[in-house]
């Protein structure tokens, strides 16, 4: 299936008091441009997130938002600097000895805890590998939701493109049907003009046929119409195959325009010109829709 470049996806999951939310948002872009926004403490996972997005998205400007909420706040750990505490105790004992018994030898733990750096409060260390796995797990949920939305939009775009391609093919058939009549009309006008100029003089049928043949060669659009039919078939095949076909279709539409412009420049006929204008209008609408595809 084909997918739109634009879309939104969201994934949520809780892990032992940690709520992780990942959101993806994408708009049109010529190439893939992925930006990840997550808390500074988890910046270590940025490259892994980008790699996972690049594997799932062909092109577009993709913004990834990661939000983490702890249900009970950050878990803190109190640690004792035992070596430093022993040093303080030894120093206090020495002070007691120097005081000749006049200094009390009652060293309470609460008093010792007031000394600098005896107790330290730190955030509990996290398992970075486990945290990365959890972030990627929620990211996969968001990508799945994101791709589902893009697939729905891509199906709608594909249907619109195919409908307009059918219109182009119908108009092309009318051009092909009208093209021989253009030569016949030219031959009739040429013969009428020659009779008017030459009056009663016998018209050279050979000369008339030669002029008509030269004109027919100038206005022949068989090659262009055959190529345009081929391009239409290729467009349908690409849409049927699915995947990231937007860039290929963009190049293909350039060929549509080239063949249509050539048909318009060759045919000196009002009816064909009108159909060429209608074809170009439909092709332009197809081009606009193709630029929304991944």
């Amino acid at each position: 299936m084909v997918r739109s470049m634009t879309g939104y996806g969201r994934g949520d999951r809780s892990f032992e008091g940690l709520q992780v939310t990942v959101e993806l948002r994408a708009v049109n872009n010529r190439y893939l441009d992925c930006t990840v926004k997550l808390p500074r403490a988890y910046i270590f996972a940025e490259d892994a997130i980008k790699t996972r997005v690049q594997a799932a998205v062909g092109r577009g400007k993709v913004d990834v938002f990661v939000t983490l909420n702890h249900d009970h706040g950050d878990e803190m750990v109190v640690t004792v600097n035992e070596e430093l505490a022993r040093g303080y105790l030894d120093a206090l004992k020495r002070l007691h000895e120097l005081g000749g018994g006049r200094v009390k030898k009652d060293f309470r733990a609460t008093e010792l805890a007031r000394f600098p750096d005896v107790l330290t409060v730190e955030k509990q260390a996290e398992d970075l590998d486990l945290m990365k796995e959890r972030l990627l797990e929620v990211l996969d949920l968001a990508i799945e939701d994101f791709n589902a939305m893009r697939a729905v939009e891509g199906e709608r775009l594909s249907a619109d493109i195919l409908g307009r391609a059918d219109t182009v093919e119908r108009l092309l058939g009318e051009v092909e049907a009208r093209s021989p009549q253009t030569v016949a009309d030219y031959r009739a006008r040429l013969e009428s003009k020659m009779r008017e100029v030459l009056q009663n003089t016998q018209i050279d049928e050979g000369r008339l046929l030669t002029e008509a043949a030269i004109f027919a060669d100038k206005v022949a659009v068989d090659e262009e119409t055959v190529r345009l039919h081929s391009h239409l078939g290729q467009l349908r095949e690409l849409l049927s195959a699915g995947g990231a076909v937007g860039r290929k279709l963009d190049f293909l539409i350039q060929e549509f325009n080239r063949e249509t412009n050539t048909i318009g420049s060759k045919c000196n006929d009002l009816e064909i010109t009108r159909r060429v204008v209608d074809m170009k209008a439909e092709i332009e609408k197809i081009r606009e829709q193709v630029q929304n595809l991944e």
Side-chain angles (χ1 to χ4, degrees):
M1 68 179 72
V2 295
R3 297 189 180 104
S4 169
M5 268 193 285
T6 60
Y8 172 83
R10 179 186 176 99
D12 293 281
R13 180 155 292 183
S14 294
F15 302 94
E16 301 169 359
L18 175 65
Q19 179 70 28
V20 180
T21 301
V22 178
E23 297 174 282
L24 275 77
R25 183 182 63 197
V27 295
N28 293 357
N29 198 53
R30 189 173 180 182
Y31 304 104
L32 177 62
D33 179 12
C34 180
T35 302
V36 180
K37 299 179 182 179
L38 72 170
R40 187 175 184 83
Y42 300 93
I43 201 73
F44 62 88
E46 181 176 0
D47 288 343
I49 291 173
K50 283 187 175 181
T51 300
R52 189 66 61 90
V53 171
Q54 289 167 356
V57 182
R59 64 174 182 158
K61 189 180 187 308
V62 184
D63 291 317
V64 182
F65 303 92
V66 180
T67 306
L68 299 100
N69 292 309
H70 293 269
D71 293 346
H72 306 293
D74 293 339
E75 296 184 9
M76 309 304 289
V77 178
V78 181
T79 58
V80 179
N81 189 332
E82 296 183 8
E83 185 176 352
L84 182 61
R86 289 192 185 96
Y88 281 129
L89 282 171
D90 291 341
L92 289 172
K93 289 176 182 178
R94 181 61 179 158
L95 287 173
H96 175 74
E97 294 172 357
L98 291 174
R102 292 188 296 273
V103 180
K104 293 191 301 181
K105 195 179 179 181
D106 184 10
F107 309 133
R108 295 179 181 177
T110 54
E111 294 176 353
L112 188 60
R114 295 192 182 102
F115 287 101
D117 301 325
V118 171
L119 298 179
T120 57
V121 182
E122 298 176 337
K123 182 179 177 181
Q124 186 174 15
E126 291 182 309
D127 185 333
L128 299 186
D129 290 335
L130 178 60
M131 195 64 226
K132 185 189 295 184
E133 288 179 8
R134 289 174 172 177
L135 290 176
L136 294 177
E137 182 178 337
V138 182
L139 174 63
D140 287 340
L141 295 176
I143 290 175
E144 183 179 352
D145 187 44
F146 174 67
N147 282 337
M149 179 178 179
R150 294 197 303 144
V152 171
E153 179 66 11
E155 186 176 352
R156 186 189 67 80
L157 292 172
S158 180
D160 184 71
I161 291 171
L162 289 173
R164 296 187 184 282
D166 290 342
T167 301
V168 171
E169 193 163 48
R170 175 180 59 79
L171 292 168
L172 183 60
E174 294 176 5
V175 169
E176 291 174 309
R178 175 66 185 172
S179 186
Q181 185 62 37
T182 301
V183 178
D185 291 346
Y186 173 79
R187 187 182 187 285
R189 289 196 305 272
L190 180 62
E191 184 176 0
S192 175
K193 190 67 176 178
M194 291 178 68
R195 291 187 185 280
E196 180 182 343
V197 172
L198 299 176
Q199 294 181 353
N200 295 328
T201 307
Q202 183 68 28
I203 297 175
D204 185 352
E205 288 293 335
R207 180 61 178 174
L208 187 62
L209 291 172
T210 300
E211 289 293 334
I214 293 173
F215 177 78
D217 185 61
K218 288 181 178 179
V219 301
V221 293
D222 294 354
E223 293 182 8
E224 289 76 14
T225 57
V226 168
R227 282 196 292 265
L228 200 45
H229 277 299
S230 175
H231 296 334
L232 285 164
Q234 191 175 358
L235 180 142
R236 294 187 178 103
E237 288 175 4
L238 286 171
L239 289 174
S240 177
V245 297
R247 196 170 299 167
K248 291 181 181 179
L249 288 173
D250 198 23
F251 287 120
L252 186 61
I253 295 305
Q254 295 179 31
E255 297 301 316
F256 272 62
N257 279 315
R258 184 176 293 109
E259 303 301 343
T260 306
N261 287 334
T262 303
I263 292 172
S265 65
K266 279 188 173 183
C267 294
N268 186 21
D269 179 80
L270 181 59
E271 291 299 320
I272 291 181
T273 299
R274 287 174 177 171
R275 284 160 178 78
V276 168
V277 170
D278 290 340
M279 287 167 60
K280 291 177 70 173
E282 291 298 318
I283 292 170
E284 177 60 22
K285 291 173 183 176
I286 292 175
R287 186 190 67 82
E288 292 174 358
Q289 298 290 49
V290 162
Q291 291 191 342
N292 293 319
L293 294 178
E294 181 183 28

